[in-house]
Amino acid sequence: MKQVLLIVGGGIAAYKACELIRLLRRAGHGVRCVLTEGGAHFITPMTLAALSEDQVYTSLWDLKDEAEMGHIQLSRQADLLVVAPATADLLANMAAGRAHDLATTVLLATDKPVLVAPAMNVRMWQHPATRRSVAQLRADGLTVLEPDEGAMACGEYGPGRLPEPAAIAAAIEAALLPSRSREAPGVGLPDPRTSPPLTPPASRMGTLAGKHVLVTAGPTHEPIDPVRYIANRSSGRQGFAIAAAAAAAGARVTLVAGPVSLATPLGVDRVDVESARDMAAAVEAALPADVAIMVAAVADWRVEAAPQKVKKGPEGFGATPTLTLVENPDILATLAHSPQRPRLLIGFAAETEQVIEHAVAKRARKRCDWLVANDVSGDVFGGEANTVHLITANGVESWARQSKLAVARTLIDRIGSVMLTHSADA
């Protein structure tokens, strides 16, 4: 278990800290909170304490804590400091090295990595003063995420929204994994939305250092006409979490993603596709790979798409159009028979009944090394948690229900062990 010190700044986005805490706790991490004076106008210490199951710190002048140099202890006991949301004022104070309250004092006193998630009005984010603050913080080695773009509480539209808690949690997971070695304390990680894809050096620590891991994620969209398409409910969260965990374990990661609105994980080379045929082509182009993890929920069928929108008859009355389904390419089976077959090939199976029985049969039929099966009849699609069964040549291993981030870490740990022992049966 890792310890995260979460500094909650002011602004309406402070409410998202609650969801972030929940995700981190579900992933098995300890969370301790520092609430700024501005943040306390939007969320209470009691709420944060209940969610984190730990004391919430609000004042530099707490005599009990400061008798033991509390701000120093807070800054040193965590594995990672996270500032979310970080307002323009907080960014400016951090960049200037000010220490006028508990949050800024802790940040100045820390020798640990710091990850910052800004949130503010679009004009404030684009102001030259804020850009200077961000540039200075990045130059100082802090990781500053790019904010999301969208409608804001103030009524304006543009970049400045706090990234979604799941995106922040993914960045935190990558920062917390032990393979994320640093040359010196406080050196930050690159931003997942602005940095170029990273190829970790072979000398870098990590169970997958020097390996190429290929991951597919999300659904595919099979067009019916320019307006409609066949799809499924896959959110891509599990695949993105696996890609993030693989990159954090030192691998060079290629993520072939269907149509999803998720932030690219740190250090991952992302290829966006739409249809199953697009995904098959992207997977082939990404070879060779040491490991392939086919997480995507690829549509089994497609139709011959109409060049224009298919119309109903006059006033809604008319012949119902007939859709002739054509089978899509089987990406997993194709990889299994490819001359460039990855050394370890892993498939995923989304089932609604007889999960293990169907998964065992699918593994044999597809000729993959492992198959990860889950029951999607509940809230798995779009949810944060998953219950999976790992099917290998040695049998079935059922894992307890856990967050998708934790599932990803467990799977990548297992893959790392196998790559070291040279046996896919492990």
Side-chain angles (χ1 to χ4, degrees):
M1 182 181 76
K2 299 293 186 179
Q3 188 71 35
V4 176
L5 181 65
L6 177 61
I7 297 173
V8 182
I12 186 61
Y15 79 91
K16 290 186 178 181
C18 298
E19 176 68 7
L20 179 59
I21 294 169
R22 189 180 69 84
L23 293 176
L24 294 175
R25 293 289 293 149
R26 181 176 285 181
H29 301 306
V31 182
R32 183 167 290 165
C33 297
V34 170
L35 181 62
T36 66
E37 182 179 356
H41 286 286
F42 297 92
I43 193 169
T44 67
M46 184 176 294
T47 300
L48 298 180
L51 292 171
S52 66
E53 300 181 54
D54 204 336
Q55 181 178 349
V56 175
Y57 299 83
T58 58
S59 175
L60 182 61
W61 308 112
D62 187 314
L63 294 179
K64 176 182 179 298
D65 292 325
E66 283 310 305
E68 301 172 354
M69 302 297 284
H71 64 283
I72 301 295
Q73 295 301 318
L74 283 173
S75 72
R76 305 293 167 80
Q77 291 173 348
D79 296 291
L80 177 72
L81 276 66
V82 178
V83 186
T87 62
D89 178 68
L90 187 47
L91 290 176
N93 283 315
M94 291 169 63
R98 295 190 63 195
H100 68 284
D101 63 3
L102 180 58
T104 52
T105 302
V106 166
L107 287 163
L108 197 60
T110 190
D111 59 353
K112 301 299 174 62
V114 180
L115 187 147
V116 183
M120 64 198 71
N121 169 267
V122 57
R123 302 301 177 200
M124 296 173 71
W125 173 250
Q126 295 173 339
H127 194 281
T130 303
R131 306 314 302 160
R132 287 195 299 271
S133 296
V134 171
Q136 182 61 58
L137 291 173
R138 286 175 173 161
D140 290 343
L142 281 69
T143 299
V144 183
L145 302 179
E146 287 291 309
D148 281 351
E149 182 174 316
M152 301 183 179
C154 61
E156 295 190 87
Y157 185 95
R161 289 170 57 93
L162 184 72
E164 289 303 310
I168 301 174
I172 291 171
E173 287 292 335
L176 286 173
L177 284 170
S179 58
R180 282 291 186 190
S181 58
R182 297 173 175 83
E183 294 181 358
V187 175
L189 298 171
D191 185 86
R193 303 165 198 214
T194 59
S195 300
L198 298 180
T199 302
S203 60
R204 178 177 147 189
M205 297 295 292
T207 57
L208 295 179
K211 305 298 183 184
H212 179 205
V213 175
L214 172 61
V215 182
T216 63
T220 61
H221 288 178
E222 309 301 326
I224 297 172
D225 58 27
V227 178
R228 307 175 182 93
Y229 56 82
I230 299 171
N232 58 62
R233 295 188 176 94
S234 173
S235 67
R237 292 181 185 275
Q238 185 65 81
F240 273 61
I242 289 171
R252 176 170 68 88
V253 180
T254 301
L255 172 61
V256 180
V260 296
S261 56
L262 298 174
T264 305
L266 294 168
V268 170
D269 186 4
R270 176 173 174 174
V271 180
D272 287 317
V273 299
E274 181 175 346
S275 69
R277 285 178 289 180
D278 294 339
M279 183 169 285
V283 166
E284 183 178 4
L287 296 174
D290 298 285
V291 181
I293 312 171
M294 302 290 98
V295 192
V298 182
D300 293 318
W301 301 283
R302 67 181 187 275
V303 299
E304 191 64 39
Q308 304 296 331
K309 181 182 176 182
V310 178
K311 298 286 188 179
K312 294 189 293 186
E315 299 181 358
F317 295 97
T320 301
T322 300
L323 299 179
T324 302
L325 298 176
V326 179
E327 190 171 353
N328 268 324
D330 190 323
I331 299 174
L332 181 59
T334 300
L335 261 184
H337 292 88
S338 170
Q340 292 184 298
R341 185 192 195 279
R343 184 170 137 202
L344 180 59
L345 179 59
I346 303 171
F348 267 65
E351 303 289 351
T352 58
E353 61 175 353
Q354 296 179 292
V355 175
I356 294 176
E357 292 85 346
H358 288 320
V360 169
K362 180 176 180 177
R363 176 185 171 274
R365 188 172 66 253
K366 303 288 187 179
R367 296 185 177 275
C368 57
D369 298 305
W370 298 353
L371 194 131
V372 180
N374 59 346
D375 185 344
V376 298
S377 58
D379 61 350
V380 172
F381 279 141
E384 300 293 344
N386 209 350
T387 303
V388 305
H389 310 276
L390 178 64
I391 291 90
T392 71
N394 291 334
V396 179
E397 183 178 321
S398 297
W399 298 353
R401 182 176 175 83
Q402 55 190 326
S403 73
K404 291 180 177 179
L405 297 171
V407 169
R409 290 202 312 272
T410 304
L411 181 62
I412 292 300
D413 285 347
R414 178 65 63 85
I415 292 170
S417 299
V418 165
M419 298 307 284
L420 290 173
T421 60
H422 308 287
S423 171
D425 294 335

